[in-house]
Amino acid sequence: MQSRDIFSLAYRSVTGNKLRTGLTVAIIALGITVLVGILTAIDSMKNSIYSSFAMMGANSFSIRNRDIQVRMGDDNETASKGNKNQKKVKKSNSNKVISYQDAVRFKDRYHFPAEVSINFRASGIATVYKDDKKTNPNVTVIGGDENYLKVSSYEVAEGRNFNTLDVESGRNVAILGKDVAEKLFGKKLKNIVNNTVRVGDVRYRVIGVLASKGSSAMMSQDNVVLTTVNNTRRIFNRPNASYQIGISVKDISQMEPAQGEAIGLFRIIRGLSVNEADNFVISKSDSIAEMLFSSLSKVNLFAVAIAFITLFGSAIGLMNIMLVSVAERTREIGVTKALGATSKVVRQQFLYEAIIISVMGGVIGVLVGMLFGNVVSLLLGSPFIIPWLWILIGVSLCAIVGLISGIYPAYKASKLDPIIALRYE
């Protein structure tokens, strides 16, 4: 007999006993549902976490002046690495500011696939006025360039971003944070673009409004006024002002090489010798995301362990059912052998039956698990996920389980003597 005929015979045998097949398929499907469902849900959570932290700058880092390291957790970590290498910063330039010229040279010479922005935070906080309305005196004024919004993960809800002419000329244009815009123009935010506001004593033309970004531990991300870096240099400049350089990588997996290249280039710009430690710090905000991803990886292992235990139980159950099937069909096996079927044909038939039952359970488990897992995507607002890797792994595991579970029953069936089998009652 050809393999196709043997497979057809095995399929008819499987579908002929619906109750037994259904129960076995359900047990196997349960294990795969647990595996695929939990892992799909975890992938959804990872996508949601990544999106949230990308909005907070998880795919970006900044170069800052060393004297602010006490307030920045990652800065202390970077500084400690310098101590481990037993390099010292000269006292004469330990708090050396990052000048505008340093920042511009870095932006022009940094060729890693990333966006680079220069920004400057005006000293203190300000009050913003519009006719008889005004904000509380706690608005942060930040000067940036045409890349600042992208590097800082801001989005423009209305109006436009800064263009090259705005940045180069340093003219009085501003983009308002959502809290500032609502305070001055009301909740409906009408007729804001091309209107004017006053920051302190300086009047600005509004060219855009930012989408809400929320708050961090350091400041409200929506209680800001953004203008160009050259405007803040002209109006809010102060002695020994230090600028900040922001870098946003396109692929978060490239963070380490991007930081390495940035450190190497900026050391050259700062004129540091080989035996000197960095007189600047790299600050990043993805440590919480990494911690959450690490926790989710542990849940991954837990889910895989549960699924394997379930599949192990399913394998035992499937083997038991196949052995019962051999006992029940002893006379049928005798007839088949009496008609000329070889031991190999009988063995293949029972192996095919075990694999068919197992794969059917795997396919059902994959579909149900994928649907259950995407309920989490729906709740988190993430896109629908089709976990092709877990689908492939799930179905492959089921085929292996079916093969292993069917070997002994198939071997036992193939060894039956046809004469003794025909006498079996």
Side-chain angles (χ1 to χ4, degrees):
M1 294 178 70
Q2 294 184 356
S3 296
R4 181 176 58 186
D5 298 325
I6 300 172
F7 183 85
S8 178
L9 185 63
Y11 181 77
R12 286 199 301 270
S13 177
V14 166
T15 55
N17 195 328
K18 292 183 174 59
L19 179 60
R20 183 174 63 197
T21 300
L23 290 173
T24 312
V25 166
I27 294 171
I28 296 170
L30 178 63
I32 297 301
T33 298
V34 171
L35 177 67
V36 175
I38 293 179
L39 295 178
T40 302
I42 288 173
D43 285 345
S44 301
M45 293 169 66
K46 284 183 176 180
N47 285 344
S48 178
I49 290 171
Y50 172 74
S51 298
S52 298
F53 279 89
M55 291 295 291
M56 297 171 63
N59 61 335
S60 64
F61 61 95
S62 60
I63 302 176
R64 302 172 181 267
N65 184 22
R66 191 181 182 88
D67 64 356
I68 65 170
Q69 65 180 4
V70 175
R71 292 178 288 173
M72 303 299 298
D74 281 301
D75 299 345
N76 286 327
E77 181 181 339
T78 307
S80 66
K81 290 179 181 178
N83 293 334
K84 288 178 183 179
N85 293 330
Q86 297 181 340
K87 294 180 180 180
K88 296 182 179 179
V89 181
K90 291 181 180 179
K91 290 184 179 180
S92 59
N93 69 354
S94 61
N95 292 329
K96 184 179 178 181
V97 300
I98 298 177
S99 68
Y100 181 69
Q101 290 71 27
D102 287 344
V104 170
R105 282 198 294 270
F106 179 89
K107 183 177 179 180
D108 291 341
R109 295 169 61 181
Y110 188 71
H111 301 303
F112 198 88
E115 299 288 344
V116 180
S117 169
I118 303 171
N119 66 83
F120 172 71
R121 183 168 298 182
S123 61
I125 48 181
T127 302
V128 185
Y129 302 86
K130 172 59 183 171
D131 299 332
D132 59 340
K133 296 181 180 180
K134 66 177 183 178
T135 66
N136 294 326
N138 61 351
V139 178
T140 304
V141 181
I142 300 175
D145 56 15
E146 68 280 1
N147 294 330
Y148 180 75
L149 296 187
K150 188 170 183 179
V151 171
S152 302
S153 300
Y154 277 112
E155 292 183 2
V156 177
E158 185 178 347
R160 66 174 178 84
N161 187 15
F162 301 121
N163 58 35
T164 305
L165 185 59
D166 294 330
V167 177
E168 291 179 352
S169 65
R171 57 192 179 187
N172 293 6
V173 293
I175 302 175
L176 305 183
K178 187 178 180 182
D179 289 352
V180 176
E182 288 183 348
K183 183 73 174 179
L184 299 178
F185 294 91
K187 296 286 186 181
K188 295 184 179 179
L189 301 178
K190 291 184 177 180
N191 302 320
I192 300 180
V193 177
N194 291 324
N195 216 315
T196 59
V197 296
R198 185 162 51 87
V199 180
D201 297 325
V202 183
R203 192 169 296 277
Y204 286 87
R205 179 169 63 90
V206 179
I207 63 171
V209 178
L210 298 172
S212 179
K213 191 180 176 185
S215 301
S216 69
M218 297 184 67
M219 60 175 283
S220 170
Q221 304 292 302
D222 298 328
N223 195 39
V224 296
V225 171
L226 305 182
T227 184
T228 63
V229 65
N230 280 326
N231 183 271
T232 53
R233 288 180 67 210
R234 177 167 56 86
I235 296 174
F236 300 98
N237 198 21
R238 59 186 184 272
N240 299 321
S242 186
Y243 292 78
Q244 181 176 313
I245 304 168
I247 299 98
S248 175
V249 296
K250 297 177 181 178
D251 183 357
I252 196 169
S253 65
Q254 297 296 309
M255 281 285 284
E256 291 298 326
Q259 289 179 47
E261 185 168 328
I263 291 171
L265 175 59
F266 206 59
R267 284 180 61 85
I268 295 172
I269 291 172
R270 303 277 272 189
L272 298 174
S273 60
V274 176
N275 60 349
E276 285 185 86
D278 300 336
N279 58 1
F280 57 91
V281 288
I282 299 292
S283 175
K284 56 181 180 177
S285 61
D286 62 346
S287 56
I288 298 177
E290 290 175 357
M291 180 184 68
L292 291 174
F293 286 159
S294 176
S295 299
L296 288 176
S297 297
K298 295 177 183 177
V299 178
N300 265 354
L301 294 175
F302 183 67
V304 170
I306 292 175
F308 271 107
I309 291 171
T310 308
L311 285 175
F312 181 73
S314 302
I316 295 173
L318 179 58
M319 182 181 293
N320 182 59
I321 287 174
M322 293 303 299
L323 287 171
V324 171
S325 178
V326 171
E328 288 179 349
R329 294 159 59 191
T330 300
R331 190 175 181 84
E332 175 192 326
I333 295 169
V335 172
T336 303
K337 282 197 166 186
L339 293 174
T342 63
S343 296
K344 181 181 178 181
V345 169
V346 175
R347 188 164 57 247
Q348 284 183 335
Q349 179 185 343
F350 277 84
L351 277 176
Y352 284 156
E353 288 181 21
I355 293 173
I356 289 170
I357 292 172
S358 190
V359 170
M360 286 173 63
V363 171
I364 294 172
V366 161
L367 294 175
V368 176
M370 184 174 63
L371 292 175
F372 277 138
N374 276 286
V375 170
V376 177
S377 294
L378 183 64
L379 295 175
L380 295 175
S382 299
F384 190 87
I385 293 176
I386 301 178
W388 295 111
L389 176 61
W390 302 122
I391 289 174
L392 179 62
I393 290 174
V395 175
S396 299
L397 280 175
C398 286
I400 293 170
V401 166
L403 179 62
I404 295 173
S405 302
I407 287 175
Y408 178 67
Y411 176 79
K412 185 176 180 181
S414 68
K415 291 301 180 181
L416 286 175
D417 187 288
I419 297 175
I420 296 175
L422 286 171
R423 292 176 180 173
Y424 184 80
E425 295 293 337

